[in-house]
Amino acid sequence: MTAPARVDSDLELDVVLLRKETLAEGVVRLTLGRPGGEPLPEWRPGAHVDLLLGPGLERQYSLCGDPGDRSALQVAVLREPESRGGSRFVHEELADGTRLAIRGPRNHFALVDAPRYLFIAGGIGITPILPMLAEVDARGADWRLVYGGRTRASMAFAEELSSRFPDRVSVRPQDETGLLDLDGLLSGEAGDTAVYCCGPEPLLLAVEARRPGVRVERFAPKEITGVDLAFEVELAQSGMTLAVPPGKSILEVVEDAGIPALSSCQEGTCGTCETPVLEGLVDHRDSILTDEEQAENDTMMICVSRARGAKLVLDL
């Protein structure tokens, strides 16, 4: 399978909140447009944007609307009980007409070409999968979705999906049907089925353990293992060679040296700091690149990943 080219953008745009609406318990949908009605950037299923909510308050949300509609972008936001400020701000402070900014779109969860698809969503993890369903269905592809959540009332889009695709969508609220039967779900799938999964980390880990090569989208970083060793990083564009000590990221060292580098999450989940690798082996610690993409060794997330040798040469 070959993934389509990523639709990456570091462009920042001013937008206005056209409409905020409640979709389910603890979930709101934001519809964003340009203040003057100008067309928004193109994007493909699986893409996300950074919402720049205020100083030091940036969050990444998957686009869940129609890629063919350049007049609006839509994201759905879950109110997190342990919110660090982002979801609380969205739910409590944002109102129709609020001006804010976005960065992106950026896509690390691209839809590949495959003879058939299995989508597994947990809770708010349904959001990046929605545009994928519309695209594969329009192609006439063979696909199905299994959608789990705590309760039916907390599962955004569940009723809409069940009504639209009754033969392809299985809605499985935990309080009604228990945990998803992943063994039964995955054991009979053919090897050429493209499996996509998005949701809470326990679900992602369980699916990854049962299905090598599954494509996942994470909302939180994987646990980082490995020992931090010192190494050097040569910046090809800037003509500088910098020392990266244990306990400090490449991103931090580069910023300390006054070299501009885009970043957002600083935990290896958003892809904003992705940087081309020209020489050296990478100790990949991000939660974005697939095993195959990491093996190619031609790009890295400098906020978390390190060198597997004495030196890296980066296109910075």
Side-chain angles (χ1 to χ4, degrees), residues 19-183:
R19 186 169 63 257
K20 175 182 172 182
E21 56 194 313
T22 299
L23 296 181
E25 289 181 358
V27 180
V28 295
R29 175 167 56 193
L30 309 180
T31 300
L32 306 167
R34 295 281 280 142
E38 303 91 341
L40 287 152
E42 295 181 356
W43 61 280
R44 301 297 304 154
H48 70 267
V49 292
D50 300 343
L51 260 58
L52 311 184
L53 301 169
L57 195 59
E58 299 181 13
R59 296 293 185 269
Q60 293 76 45
Y61 296 108
S62 299
L63 292 171
C64 60
D66 177 6
D69 182 2
R70 300 283 300 281
S71 69
L73 295 174
Q74 292 185 334
V75 299
V77 181
L78 171 67
R79 174 65 186 262
E80 298 282 359
E82 304 299 324
S83 173
R84 295 174 298 159
S87 71
R88 183 206 61 77
F89 184 87
V90 167
H91 278 254
E92 296 181 8
E93 304 295 334
L94 285 188
D96 292 2
T98 301
R99 297 288 187 98
L100 61 157
I102 62 169
R103 184 188 300 119
R106 189 175 293 106
N107 199 337
H108 291 277
F109 196 45
L111 189 63
V112 299
D113 292 326
R116 65 193 60 83
Y117 300 86
L118 170 62
F119 300 98
I120 303 171
I124 199 63
I126 191 64
T127 51
I129 290 175
L130 287 172
M132 295 182 178
L133 302 183
E135 178 160 322
V136 298
D137 195 69
R139 294 180 193 169
D142 181 9
W143 67 271
R144 62 181 176 132
L145 164 69
V146 178
Y147 179 16
R150 292 183 295 102
T151 65
R152 192 175 296 271
S154 70
M155 298 171 67
F157 307 103
E159 184 175 342
E160 172 188 332
L161 289 168
S162 297
S163 299
R164 185 177 176 189
F165 305 112
D167 299 328
R168 295 188 181 274
V169 172
S170 176
V171 175
R172 311 286 291 178
Q174 185 177 339
D175 65 339
E176 298 177 22
T177 62
L179 295 173
L180 296 180
D181 178 13
L182 297 179
D183 290 323

Side-chain angles (χ1 to χ4, degrees), residues 257-277:
I259 306 300
L262 283 175
S263 67
S264 180
C265 73
Q266 299 189 21
E267 59 185 16
T269 59
C270 74
T272 305
C273 69
E274 184 171 7
T275 302
V277 177

Side-chain angles (χ1 to χ4, degrees), residues 163-234:
S163 299
R164 185 177 176 189
F165 305 112
D167 299 328
R168 295 188 181 274
V169 172
S170 176
V171 175
R172 311 286 291 178
Q174 185 177 339
D175 65 339
E176 298 177 22
T177 62
L179 295 173
L180 296 180
D181 178 13
L182 297 179
D183 290 323
L185 183 61
L186 294 166
S187 61
E189 279 298 331
D192 58 358
T193 299
V195 180
Y196 282 78
C197 183
C198 186
E201 186 66 12
L203 173 64
L204 302 185
L205 293 174
V207 173
E208 287 178 322
R210 291 164 172 79
R211 181 75 178 201
V214 61
R215 301 185 72 86
V216 302
E217 175 89 321
R218 282 185 155 84
F219 299 135
K222 294 187 292 186
E223 182 180 356
I224 294 177
T225 59
V227 178
D228 283 6
L229 299 176
F231 60 94
E232 289 187 337
V233 58
E234 180 182 334

